[in-house]
């Protein structure tokens, strides 16, 4: 069942989402060749606890850490380890936080130093596809409209859309109804209404959409070992329109990126 949120609850969710946004900003400052994903995980856990929240993933379904860290051909759900990041890697950093009984959950794929042009384009298009999808999240539209838009846009660039993992409703639970696939058919699926909050999270592969799971029971990687990108935002429907609760502002500040890509999803 879809849990509709009141304006007050959406404000609490914004607080949780912003803790994750700021945590990802701290990761952006620290990420560089030589640092391990386990060191970054510690930075994130400390920052979240210092801000009166609890890491949202730690212990959830028995996940062992604060961040899901998925480099290169890993899609999502990678477990932090002591291997140093290398120049030219990309790494999806997915983070959750729980505060006031509500979860924030969002993700960004970082470049470590200089990366290949073809990989940079994958990151740019995947991030853009997130906004293409968010634009469809408004009253009257349906789950299939978001998926259709993301799929159409990313496949037009020759990329593969992961099928087995999807976005989701967000609230007092990390994963609520509805499921939000990054593929679909226009006009199909559950209808969006005022007060819905979802995490939209395209997982897009440079090559095939097919994936494999590691024997650790967590890590998902591409079947052809080509790179995969992942970006995720928390979005509410307010006054019929999509409003971002999370922001990449802190990441952009840390990395010196100037963009107005989030402006259309802010309340006036
Ligand atoms: Mg996430
Ligand atoms: Mg999520």
């Amino acid at each position: 069942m879809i849990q509709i949120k009141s304006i007050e609850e959406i404000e609490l969710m914004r607080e949780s989402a912003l803790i994750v946004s700021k945590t990802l900003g701290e990761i952006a400052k620290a990420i560089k060749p030589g640092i391990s994903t386990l060191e970054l995980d510690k930075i994130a856990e400390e920052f979240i606890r210092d801000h009166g929240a609890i890491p949202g993933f730690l212990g959830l379904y028995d996940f062992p850490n604060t961040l899901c860290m998925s480099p290169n051909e890993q899609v999502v759900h990678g477990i932090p380890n002591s291997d140093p990041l290398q120049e030219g890697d990309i790494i999806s950093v997915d983070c959750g936080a729980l505060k006031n009984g509500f979860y924030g959950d969002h993700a960004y794929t970082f470049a470590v130093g200089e990366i290949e042009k073809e990989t940079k384009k994958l990151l740019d298009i995947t991030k853009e596809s997130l906004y293409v999808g968010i634009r469809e999240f408004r009253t009257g539209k349906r789950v299939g409209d978001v998926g259709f838009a993301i799929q159409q846009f990313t496949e037009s660039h020759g990329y593969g859309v992961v099928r087995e993992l999807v976005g989701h409703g967000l609230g007092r639970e990390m994963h609520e109804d509805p499921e939000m696939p990054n593929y679909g058919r226009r006009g199909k699926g559950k209808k969006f209404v005022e007060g819905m909050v979802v995490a939209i999270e395209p997982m897009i592969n440079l090559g095939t959409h097919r994936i494999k799971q590691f024997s650790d029971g967590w890590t998902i990687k591409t079947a052809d070992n080509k790179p995969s990108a992942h970006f995720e935002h928390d979005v509410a429907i307010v006054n019929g329109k999509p409003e971002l609760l999370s922001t990449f502002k802190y990441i952009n500040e840390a990395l010196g990126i100037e963009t107005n890509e989030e402006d259309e999803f802010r309340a006036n």
Side-chain angles (χ1 to χ4, degrees):
M1 206 182 82
I2 294 173
Q3 306 288 331
I4 300 303
K5 277 80 182 180
S6 67
I7 284 292
E8 293 75 18
E9 288 173 325
I10 287 172
E11 284 317 305
L12 291 175
M13 292 197 68
R14 191 191 307 278
E15 220 182 292
S16 305
L18 284 179
I19 288 172
V20 181
S21 302
K22 289 173 184 170
T23 306
L24 291 176
E26 294 303 303
I27 297 302
K29 285 182 209 165
I31 210 160
K32 58 174 189 291
I35 197 166
S36 75
T37 50
L38 206 51
E39 289 172 89
L40 295 170
D41 188 75
K42 290 212 166 56
I43 291 172
E45 178 170 1
E46 243 178 69
F47 188 87
I48 290 169
R49 293 194 191 281
D50 283 351
H51 288 76
I54 297 168
F57 296 163
L58 184 65
L60 185 71
Y61 317 117
D62 291 329
F63 188 76
N65 290 87
T66 293
L67 300 177
C68 292
M69 304 284 272
S70 313
N72 303 321
E73 77 284 0
Q74 294 183 17
V75 180
V76 287
H77 300 168
I79 298 173
N81 61 35
S82 53
D83 299 342
L85 291 173
Q86 313 271 346
E87 174 91 20
D89 283 346
I90 58 168
I91 179 141
S92 154
V93 181
D94 196 351
C95 181
L98 176 65
K99 190 174 183 182
N100 300 315
F102 288 98
Y103 282 99
D105 169 27
H106 66 119
Y108 191 93
T109 302
F110 294 91
V112 182
E114 285 296 313
I115 60 172
E116 278 179 42
K117 216 169 142 193
E118 137 182 282
T119 313
K120 173 77 170 74
K121 187 181 166 202
L122 173 70
L123 299 190
D124 290 344
I125 295 297
T126 304
K127 178 145 69 73
E128 196 175 340
S129 80
L130 171 59
Y131 297 112
V132 165
I134 291 172
R135 230 166 260 142
E136 300 295 312
F137 182 57
R138 50 181 67 237
T139 51
K141 294 264 190 175
R142 292 175 183 271
V143 166
D145 293 311
V146 171
F148 176 85
I150 293 171
Q151 181 176 20
Q152 171 114 340
F153 180 70
T154 53
E155 286 184 351
S156 77
H157 290 274
Y159 298 147
V161 177
V162 173
R163 306 292 201 276
E164 293 85 346
L165 299 143
V166 297
H168 48 92
L170 183 71
R172 292 188 184 278
E173 304 289 337
M174 176 68 79
H175 297 115
E176 298 187 351
D177 280 342
E179 287 196 340
M180 298 286 293
N182 299 302
Y183 56 91
R185 288 200 287 154
R186 207 179 247 164
K188 299 289 179 189
K190 284 180 185 157
K191 206 173 197 170
F192 299 137
V193 296
E194 185 78 10
M196 275 179 78
V197 180
V198 298
I200 298 178
E201 50 179 315
M203 288 156 259
I204 307 297
N205 300 344
L206 186 65
T208 179
H209 68 81
R210 286 180 300 109
I211 56 166
K212 285 183 178 162
Q213 188 167 36
F214 281 22
S215 56
D216 63 16
W218 279 106
T219 313
I220 306 286
K221 72 169 197 69
T222 57
D224 59 8
N225 290 319
K226 289 186 178 172
S228 181
H230 176 216
F231 290 85
E232 177 177 26
H233 265 316
D234 301 340
V235 198
I237 297 183
V238 180
N239 296 324
K241 294 182 304 197
E243 189 175 314
L244 279 185
L245 303 182
S246 54
T247 177
F248 294 146
K249 180 174 89 173
Y250 304 99
I251 293 172
N252 292 334
E253 279 173 13
L255 300 181
I257 296 169
E258 284 194 37
T259 170
N260 57 3
E261 65 195 4
E262 293 181 359
D263 289 2
E264 66 179 285
F265 308 114
R266 298 273 166 227
N268 304 317

